[in-house]
Amino acid sequence: MLELVNISFSAGGENGEKEIIKDISLSIDDGFTVITGPNGGGKSTLAKIISGINRPTAGKILLDGEDITNLSVTDRAKKGISFAFQQPVRFKGITVHDLISLASGKEISINEACDYLSQVGLCARDYINREVNASLSGGELKRIEIATVLARGTKVSLFDEPEAGIDLWSFNNLINVFEKMRSSLGGSIIIISHQERILNIADRIIVVSDGKIKDDGTRDKILPELLDTAASACRVLTDSIKEAKK
């Protein structure tokens, strides 16, 4: 279980310190959790705090009861936390096979690496020996990154807006991959997203806005409320446009 206890985070700017995360406490069990909310509300910052990229200004983080607040990204990875970036990192000189082997923490065969690639919808023979560099598209990189998460098989798999920058076909494939992960990977799968189709396969939805948890519950409870709010906002915008044209 992942636990955040009274987590706050502030960062400096032109106008001084700004509180981005404001005293958030929550527990995340095994299952598929989506953290959503408006842009700038603190979702990605929260993901970086969980992964260890950012250190909280206050509060603590527990993994299976162990305090990991002061552990580095590397040490958290060893404890069982995987993090997939919004924009995957490119590694010149490293092949896809090398990357999957590094992620798994052991030397794995070509066949094993190909199996992970197949699980994310890539034709293994076309990718296994390619470099993880600029020749790969955003969608390809996203799926390769997910393959590395599958290879690790960690307690907590965290994805920051995995749909960002990929085409419609890749997004459709991405949904299929997450649906398979939900049933096969186990542990806690946490996705930062505001895409309805990703929200629609969640077990639990947590809404973060203005650095706080605004709502938290099952998909059946939270999603209709979010859709209703979005529909209301669209109606207000449409009415304003019509009024302006008069």
Side-chain angles (χ1 to χ4, degrees):
M1 176 189 291
L2 180 69
E3 296 177 80
L4 307 184
V5 183
N6 302 121
I7 293 292
S8 294
F9 178 77
S10 298
E14 294 181 359
N15 299 317
E17 287 283 307
K18 179 182 178 181
E19 193 174 23
I20 300 172
I21 300 296
K22 304 172 183 177
D23 195 30
I24 283 181
S25 293
L26 60 87
S27 298
I28 300 178
D29 294 309
D30 291 355
F32 198 120
T33 299
V34 175
I35 300 176
T36 192
N39 291 335
K43 304 185 302 297
S44 291
T45 299
L46 192 62
K48 290 175 182 177
I49 289 172
I50 293 170
S51 67
I53 295 172
N54 290 339
R55 295 286 179 89
T57 307
K60 60 183 179 180
I61 304 169
L62 306 175
L63 181 63
D64 292 337
E66 180 183 355
D67 190 340
I68 62 169
T69 311
N70 295 317
L71 294 186
S72 66
V73 174
T74 300
D75 288 335
R76 291 190 198 198
K78 291 176 181 178
K79 294 290 183 181
I81 296 179
S82 294
F83 181 65
F85 290 89
Q86 188 176 133
Q87 298 297 330
V89 180
R90 300 175 187 268
F91 299 94
K92 187 176 180 180
I94 296 179
T95 67
V96 172
H97 178 220
D98 293 336
L99 186 62
I100 295 175
S101 290
L102 286 169
S104 70
K106 60 183 178 181
E107 183 63 35
I108 63 173
S109 68
I110 293 288
N111 286 340
E112 288 175 301
C114 286
D115 181 59
Y116 290 122
L117 291 174
S118 296
Q119 288 183 55
V120 297
L122 293 176
C123 181
R125 66 175 180 271
D126 293 337
Y127 291 92
I128 194 67
N129 292 315
R130 287 181 66 178
E131 285 191 14
V132 188
N133 58 22
S135 69
L136 295 169
S137 71
E140 290 170 329
L141 282 169
K142 284 284 176 70
R143 281 178 278 164
I144 290 168
E145 188 174 45
I146 293 171
T148 65
V149 173
L150 292 173
R152 292 201 67 218
T154 46
K155 299 175 183 178
V156 177
S157 302
L158 179 60
F159 300 86
D160 186 11
E161 298 195 24
E163 72 276 6
I166 65 174
D167 56 45
L168 180 61
W169 186 92
S170 296
F171 181 68
N172 290 337
N173 188 273
L174 193 65
I175 295 297
N176 293 332
V177 170
F178 284 135
E179 286 178 328
K180 291 178 182 177
M181 285 181 65
R182 182 183 180 187
S183 60
S184 63
L185 187 59
S188 300
I189 301 172
I190 306 169
I191 299 182
I192 310 298
S193 179
H194 44 67
Q195 285 289 336
E196 182 182 345
R197 289 186 61 190
I198 292 180
L199 291 167
N200 205 42
I201 59 174
D203 299 314
R204 176 186 180 189
I205 297 174
I206 299 170
V207 182
V208 175
S209 178
D210 191 30
K212 301 176 182 178
I213 295 177
K214 297 298 184 182
D215 214 344
D216 182 1
T218 64
R219 175 185 66 244
D220 292 341
K221 174 183 179 293
I222 303 298
L223 188 54
E225 296 173 1
L226 290 175
L227 296 178
D228 184 60
T229 299
S232 297
C234 286
R235 286 194 294 270
V236 170
L237 179 60
T238 300
D239 291 343
S240 297
I241 292 172
K242 288 179 179 178
E243 190 66 29
K245 288 181 177 180
K246 289 181 178 180

